[in-house]
Amino acid sequence: MPSMWENFEIDCTEYLNRKFGDYASFKHMGRSDSTIPDIKVTTKSGNVFYIEAKHCPAQCGQFVLLPDIAKRTFIYSPLNTTPKNTYAEQIIKHMNAQFDEFKEAGTSGKDIIMNNGSEIFSNWIIDTYRNKGVCYFITNNYTIFPIERFSEYFNVSAKYRVKRSGSSHVGKSNIPNILSYIKSQGYDIKSTRIEGGKLFVVLAESLHNQRFILNGYEYMFSLRDSEYEIRKLSNTFNANVIFSIDLTANKSGIGTEEFIRALL
């Protein structure tokens, strides 16, 4: 059964085909794959671009930041599907200055409050979605507007939050590399134990839920009684900067004639 947001995407696609079908075809694309924009537009002349559908309030993009405990900085995850841009760098710089607070954000999350925050967050969204080929957004009441006017229509906030998913044991083949790595990082290891594909360590310090990256994968120290099991996290068990949007005061979108001109 389609979700509410998917129903909205479908409704918008049907609306666009009804109202502007003489000038272009509109195909619902996104579904649950966030790397693909929602609606593909193919004009009669063969031009192709995308429209993103957002029924507010909504989330509007995210990227993974991994805390490096030793260096006290956040790392832009190599598993992100979007390249790091200047706006992500500004957010990371702000979070690094409050490293202790953000690294403990957990599943409840911590709001990212910074000077010109809404503008920076909006620009991240514009840059990221434009790189996916998005030229327009469509939102509540089928309001359509060009992507460069995003900040006129939405209030944007951001939060750093852990999104929970699954984890697994590290696997036999990975244990030697992991042991070598954690020993090289100066962790005060008292003893180690291997059980099948599981790796356990006894530490002199408290590192429960602390994470590290090795060879593109994220691992976590998970307390098990008096020892820690090192767990390999799935790609969806990450701490994310998540952008949320809500509509500003009622604002009309671009006119029908203006949008038709964009389709010619």
Side-chain angles (χ1 to χ4, degrees), residues 102-142:
F102 279 106
K103 77 178 177 65
E104 302 295 343
T107 55
S108 59
K110 177 175 173 56
D111 292 328
I112 302 173
I113 300 173
M114 54 190 294
N115 291 335
N116 301 317
S118 186
E119 178 183 353
I120 292 168
F121 306 152
S122 292
N123 286 335
W124 182 91
I125 292 169
I126 291 169
D127 185 71
T128 299
Y129 280 86
R130 184 178 278 151
N131 285 338
K132 295 180 182 181
V134 173
C135 293
Y136 290 86
F137 275 76
I138 184 168
T139 186
N140 304 37
N141 301 317
Y142 304 123

Side-chain angles (χ1 to χ4, degrees), residues 56-68:
C56 286
Q59 291 185 5
C60 193
Q62 62 186 31
F63 59 85
V64 176
L65 289 183
L66 307 174
D68 185 321

Side-chain angles (χ1 to χ4, degrees), residues 51-157:
I51 298 174
E52 190 73 9
K54 291 294 180 185
H55 189 277
C56 286
Q59 291 185 5
C60 193
Q62 62 186 31
F63 59 85
V64 176
L65 289 183
L66 307 174
D68 185 321
I69 303 301
K71 296 181 179 178
R72 298 178 58 77
T73 57
F74 289 95
I75 300 169
Y76 194 82
S77 173
L79 302 178
N80 282 317
T81 58
T82 56
K84 181 169 64 173
N85 58 28
T86 183
Y87 310 108
E89 289 175 350
Q90 291 177 62
I91 293 168
I92 294 169
K93 182 178 180 181
H94 170 79
M95 291 176 59
N96 284 343
Q98 302 177 48
F99 181 80
D100 287 334
E101 296 178 34
F102 279 106
K103 77 178 177 65
E104 302 295 343
T107 55
S108 59
K110 177 175 173 56
D111 292 328
I112 302 173
I113 300 173
M114 54 190 294
N115 291 335
N116 301 317
S118 186
E119 178 183 353
I120 292 168
F121 306 152
S122 292
N123 286 335
W124 182 91
I125 292 169
I126 291 169
D127 185 71
T128 299
Y129 280 86
R130 184 178 278 151
N131 285 338
K132 295 180 182 181
V134 173
C135 293
Y136 290 86
F137 275 76
I138 184 168
T139 186
N140 304 37
N141 301 317
Y142 304 123
T143 302
I144 301 171
F145 61 90
I147 189 171
E148 58 267 19
R149 294 176 60 186
F150 185 91
S151 61
E152 297 177 29
Y153 289 83
F154 296 123
N155 297 312
V156 189
S157 59

Side-chain angles (χ1 to χ4, degrees), residues 24 53 92 159 171 199:
I92 294 169
K159 177 174 284 192
L199 173 61

Side-chain angles (χ1 to χ4, degrees), residues 17-66:
N17 275 311
R18 285 196 310 270
K19 192 169 181 67
F20 302 103
D22 290 340
Y23 308 95
S25 65
F26 301 85
K27 183 179 180 181
H28 181 220
M29 300 290 293
R31 303 187 188 278
S32 60
D33 187 346
S34 62
T35 65
I36 301 173
D38 297 327
I39 302 169
K40 182 179 181 180
V41 183
T42 305
T43 68
K44 299 294 185 182
S45 61
N47 291 331
V48 176
F49 62 88
Y50 292 89
I51 298 174
E52 190 73 9
K54 291 294 180 185
H55 189 277
C56 286
Q59 291 185 5
C60 193
Q62 62 186 31
F63 59 85
V64 176
L65 289 183
L66 307 174

